[in-house]
Structures are given as structure tokens and as C-alpha cells.
Amino acid sequence: MVFLPSATSATSAADVGLKRSHVDYSRYLSAEARSRLPNPIKSIWKAAQVKPGTINMGNGDPHHTLYPISEVNFVVPSIDEHDPVQSWRSGTGEQNIISSYKDELCALSLRTAFAYGAGAGLKDVRDALADLNDRIHSPPNHTVSLSLGNADALTKCFRLLGDPGDSFLCEEFTFSAMTNAALPLGIEWVPIRMDNNGLVPSDLERILSSWDEAKQGKRPHVLYTIPCSQNPTGSTLSLERRQQIYQIAHDWDIIILEDDPYFFLQYDLGMSQSTIQQYGHTRAMAEVLPRSFLSMDYDGRVMRLDSFSKIVAPGMRLGWVTSNSYFADKLDMLTDSSSQHPHGMGQAFVAELLGSNGWGVDGFMKWILSLCNEYQRRRDLFMDVFRQKVATSGFASAEVPQSGMFVWIKSGPTTNTADLMDELFRKLLNNGLVMMPASTFAIADRTGTMGSHINDRVNFFRATFVGTDETIRNGLATFGRTLEEFFL
């Protein structure tokens, strides 16, 4: 069953007047991407997959009979438990073993998983994730490619879309490990103002409408955004803002890089139990999860990045990119001549996990719901301890995040902010506590400096609530004591 949004939820301001028509996507590409040729060996490999039974004497794979692995067993929680995360954590629940085989029937044979493949990943895995996409986002005319996680995908997207001297748009506070990856490519960042609810659409409109190409160079054609549990601020864009941003992107011909690793970690969901009973967890989750930019994308201007890092394990280094087929082909070409295809072990695991002998898509969504409940418990504990140990001093405040893993804590100084926050960070470190200061995430403008408006607003720390209860209690107690020592 594929979930299709209702007529009400499927129609937005961003959808009105948009027609499905041919778009020349090549004009968005970097010079590198336009000049890149397909990997000729991979092209032949792909041709060999078309006709079953083709005798392939052109490849360089070791034969599968020489693989020193014939079977891989994955011990996973039983999804039949009422609350699989709690049962798994306590060790009281049942376990399931899902297996990948080289010589026996399974969702994805190890003969295929451990052989060389194409950059987009193996079809079985891409089909399973496309099915998940269809159930959650119902995206029109989009293609799924695998990645080595969102960091790998983003750096490739930067190379795909950016030339030296180009300007990309992003939130004024963002995940600097990723924006830094674009700087050696000669891409400059243009920060967009944020408030407590995330990126401000009117400021995005202001930047684009007032852009002077004679003085500032080519108008930006890419927006990089983290719409759910924005890293570091923890803000989540409302449906109204998403519609406004997509409409602005349509009007100004902007490609949206929708980096959404925290999408599934939503709290206070209020899911319908009757929907779960009648249609399953996937349908029920799809009704309450935020509407993605991808779900609005009738223009093919969204490249959405998803990851297993936050919902399975970060060390898997496996994610997926959803985009129009033209961009997917170009991304595939880049991967074929760089990192090559994602690792076979991870692909085998995902194929089995989402397959009929594993959890299936609906079981996977039941696991995610249980995971959300556990993270929501930790968030609530964090906020309770914060109110008791920190907020009472009046030196710090924080809003309750709707999703993700982070709390954006506002603290004290409003003058000489950057220097004082640096001093406070060092005092926290000396007292045995690490929180990430806002200056770590502040985006410099085209002059290479932070504007005064952001320099005066770096009086924040990013803290995570996904650690143990002991970490939360001890960490916030240290934070509260240090604030009092610092400001009194």
C-alpha cells in the first residue's frame, strides 16, 4: 500500500500553478559535472545486467566461489514486541535473526552484494527505499541513489552544482562540517536569517530580490537547508514556511538540497491508533510526519538526502539521495569515478531488514516510532533537569525541541558576546563538560567574516539529549554550577 496524502494535505501554495514540464537541468550543473564522462567500464557493466544469462568475461571481479563468506547473520530486535526499543535495551525482548546468503535464497544474494556494482547502489536496495519514499513522501518522478551517508552525498552535490565563485544559500547557523566542504571548491555561502522557527522566508526573498550580479556575481541557485531539527538550533520548519520557501525557490529558480537526517525523529506525534490497526505504522507515521520539500517537488528542483545514521547506526555509512533522474545520473557518474558504490554489507543488511524475512517497511516504521518514544523521554528528562538545575538561575533558557537530538540553549551575554562565550566555553571544558558553542556553526558572509547581526547572537550552546540519563543529569548540573560561577 502506498500512502497518498489527502487532497487537503497534498495541495499547498507551492503547488498552485506548477506544471510538469520539461526542464533543462543541465544549466544547474557545475563545469566539472558538465565535462564529466561516464565511467566506460561501469557503462559496460550496466549493459551486462540488462540481459539475464549474459556471459561476462569483461569484468575484474573475483568469482563468488572464492568469496571467503557464505552467510551473514544479523541479530536484530523482534518487531513483534509492543515497545521494541525498550525490550531491546532491557534485554527482555525476543530477538530475530535475518540472514544473507551467497548460495541460498534471500532478499539480496551475497554474490551480488559483495561484487562490484554501480554508483547508485544495487537495484533491490534502491527499490526498497523508493517504496519507503512513496509511502512517506509520494514524490512525483524521482529516482533513488545510495550514498555513504549524508556527508558523502552533500559533498558530491556541492561538486555537482557549484563552480568556483558561485554563491550558495544556507541558514545563518548550520552544520559547519558540511558547509566547510564547499569552501575548497570555491563556493561562497550566503547566510539567511533565522528565528525560533527556523529559516525566515522573507529574508530569503530579500536576499534574492536585492542581489546585484554586477557587484556580487551570479545570483545563488542552490539552497542548502536542514528543515527538521535544524543542526544546531533544533528548529523545525512549519508547513507554511516550507510552502513559502518552495514557492520562492520556484520563482527564483533555486535548487533545494534538503538535508534531513532527523526527519523520522519527531516527538509529541499524536498518532492515530485506529490508523495503525487498520493500515499499519507506515500510514500512521506518514499522516503526522512533517511534509517534506520532496513531497512538494513538481519541478524536480529538490535533492533530498536521508540517512540511516540517526535511526539505525552512524557507522553504517549508508544513506540515500532522491532527485530527478537527470541529477541522479550525474551523481551516479561522479560516484562511479570516485568513491564507487556503497559497501555490500550495508546494502545486504538493508535489503534483508526491509524485506519479507525481516522487519519489512511497516516493521521498520514501528521501530522508528518506538525510537521516537525513547528519545522523547530523554528530551523530557533533559528539559525537566534543565528547569531545575539551570533555568532557575536566570542565566540560561531553552525551548523544547519538536524533533531531532539537540537543544539550543541561550545564555547570558549580549555585549562582547563572542569573547565572553569563548571564555565560558573554556570554563565549561575545565569543569569537565563539552557543549558546542554557537560560533562553531555561524556562517561567514562573502567577506569572510560574521556579520554584526550574527556576531551579537552567538550566545548559544548546542547540547544533545540523546545520552544516558546519568549524562543528562550530571552534565546539566555541571552546566548550572558553571554558569553561576561565571556570572556571579
Side-chain angles (χ1 to χ4, degrees):
M1 177 195 72
V2 174
F3 168 68
L4 296 175
S6 66
T8 301
S9 64
T11 304
S12 73
D15 301 334
V16 176
L18 299 185
K19 305 293 184 181
R20 296 186 186 182
S21 59
H22 175 71
V23 178
D24 178 16
Y25 294 113
S26 65
R27 60 198 171 93
Y28 301 108
L29 297 181
S30 66
E32 176 195 350
R34 288 194 300 271
S35 63
R36 184 176 295 281
L37 298 176
N39 182 323
I41 295 175
K42 293 295 183 181
S43 298
I44 294 173
W45 181 92
K46 292 172 187 176
Q49 310 306 306
V50 174
K51 185 177 179 181
T54 297
I55 299 172
N56 188 353
M57 297 181 68
N59 65 328
D61 294 36
H63 194 263
H64 66 80
T65 57
L66 302 178
Y67 295 170
I69 300 175
S70 63
E71 178 181 343
V72 177
N73 295 319
F74 303 98
V75 180
V76 300
S78 171
I79 214 67
D80 292 332
E81 299 287 340
H82 172 69
D83 190 342
V85 168
Q86 292 305 324
S87 298
W88 181 251
R89 290 183 64 232
S90 64
T92 59
E94 295 295 321
Q95 297 178 346
N96 286 346
I97 298 177
I98 57 176
S99 302
S100 297
Y101 302 100
K102 184 168 71 69
D103 301 314
E104 297 181 34
L105 186 65
C106 60
L108 177 59
S109 171
L110 294 180
R111 296 186 183 189
T112 303
F114 285 175
Y116 285 124
L122 296 170
K123 185 178 185 301
D124 308 76
V125 186
R126 289 187 287 117
D127 286 349
L129 293 173
D131 178 48
L132 177 62
N133 273 355
D134 287 343
R135 293 168 183 253
I136 300 299
H137 307 287
S138 300
N141 303 321
H142 283 73
T143 300
V144 168
S145 302
L146 300 188
S147 69
L148 295 170
N150 282 17
D152 168 66
L154 267 173
T155 54
K156 288 174 179 172
C157 288
F158 294 160
R159 290 178 64 183
L160 194 72
L161 301 171
D163 281 318
D166 281 353
S167 296
F168 284 8
L169 300 150
C170 68
E171 288 101 346
E172 62 181 346
F173 294 100
T174 193
F175 188 42
S176 53
M178 285 296 89
T179 53
N180 284 350
L183 299 179
L185 303 176
I187 295 168
E188 298 176 330
W189 290 103
V190 180
I192 306 165
R193 287 293 297 266
M194 303 178 71
D195 60 18
N196 291 341
N197 299 308
L199 185 155
V200 178
S202 60
D203 198 56
L204 174 62
E205 178 75 47
R206 177 193 62 79
I207 290 170
L208 291 168
S209 62
S210 63
W211 193 269
D212 184 344
E213 291 196 338
K215 296 180 179 178
Q216 297 173 275
K218 188 173 71 173
R219 181 182 286 109
H221 69 286
V222 173
L223 166 64
Y224 168 56
T225 181
I226 308 172
C228 291
S229 187
Q230 199 271 344
N231 190 356
T233 67
S235 61
T236 295
L237 289 171
S238 66
L239 174 59
E240 180 182 8
R241 285 203 177 185
R242 291 170 196 252
Q243 292 170 339
Q244 292 172 354
I245 290 166
Y246 188 88
Q247 185 64 54
I248 292 168
H250 174 74
D251 293 344
W252 290 97
D253 201 18
I254 303 295
I255 300 297
I256 299 175
L257 296 180
E258 183 178 24
D259 183 12
D260 220 355
Y262 309 101
F263 172 75
F264 289 107
L265 300 182
Q266 302 290 326
Y267 311 125
D268 306 305
L269 287 171
M271 286 175 58
S272 168
Q273 292 301 312
S274 62
T275 301
I276 292 175
Q277 294 170 5
Q278 186 173 2
Y279 298 107
H281 288 83
T282 310
R283 172 68 175 265
M285 286 287 281
E287 289 179 345
V288 296
L289 286 169
R291 188 174 176 201
S292 64
F293 286 117
L294 178 67
S295 71
M296 307 174 185
D297 188 28
Y298 291 92
D299 257 358
R301 67 178 60 258
V302 174
M303 298 187 76
R304 178 179 172 83
L305 291 75
D306 285 280
S307 173
F308 289 104
S309 292
K310 310 300 189 241
I311 52 179
V312 178
M316 279 186 66
R317 304 317 307 150
L318 194 65
W320 67 103
V321 181
T322 311
S323 66
N324 65 64
S325 59
Y326 182 84
F327 284 169
D329 286 343
K330 295 298 182 181
L331 198 60
D332 191 10
M333 287 169 56
L334 172 55
T335 301
D336 275 339
S337 295
S338 57
S339 63
Q340 300 276 324
H341 56 87
H343 50 92
M345 188 77 77
Q347 293 193 69
F349 174 66
V350 170
E352 300 302 334
L353 190 71
L354 299 181
S356 58
N357 292 325
W359 288 351
V361 170
D362 206 61
F364 183 60
M365 296 308 296
K366 182 179 180 180
W367 169 261
I368 288 175
L369 173 60
S370 185
L371 194 63
C372 288
N373 291 336
E374 171 58 19
Y375 279 151
Q376 181 174 325
R377 184 194 69 80
R378 298 187 190 202
R379 179 205 66 177
D380 293 344
L381 173 64
F382 184 105
M383 297 308 302
D384 286 343
V385 176
F386 184 88
R387 283 187 283 268
Q388 296 167 20
K389 300 292 185 180
V390 180
T392 52
S393 70
F395 296 126
S397 62
E399 296 191 8
V400 180
Q402 303 170 17
S403 58
M405 296 181 166
F406 305 119
V407 179
W408 193 231
I409 301 172
K410 184 177 182 179
S411 179
T414 55
T415 58
N416 196 24
T417 309
D419 290 340
L420 284 172
M421 289 301 289
D422 181 65
E423 186 179 343
L424 177 55
F425 168 77
R426 294 180 186 280
K427 187 170 183 62
L428 288 169
L429 193 60
N430 288 336
N431 288 347
L433 177 64
V434 174
M435 288 184 177
M436 300 301 290
S439 58
T440 305
F441 307 98
I443 297 301
D445 61 20
R446 290 175 61 89
T447 66
T449 59
M450 293 186 296
S452 59
H453 73 279
I454 194 172
N455 200 42
D456 291 339
R457 293 190 300 113
V458 292
N459 56 326
F460 290 86
F461 284 104
R462 188 197 74 176
T464 182
F465 55 81
V466 299
T468 65
D469 293 6
E470 182 182 23
T471 296
I472 292 171
R473 290 192 175 96
N474 293 344
L476 289 177
T478 300
F479 186 55
R481 288 195 305 270
T482 305
L483 287 177
E484 292 185 5
E485 293 171 6
F486 187 78
F487 288 111
L488 290 179

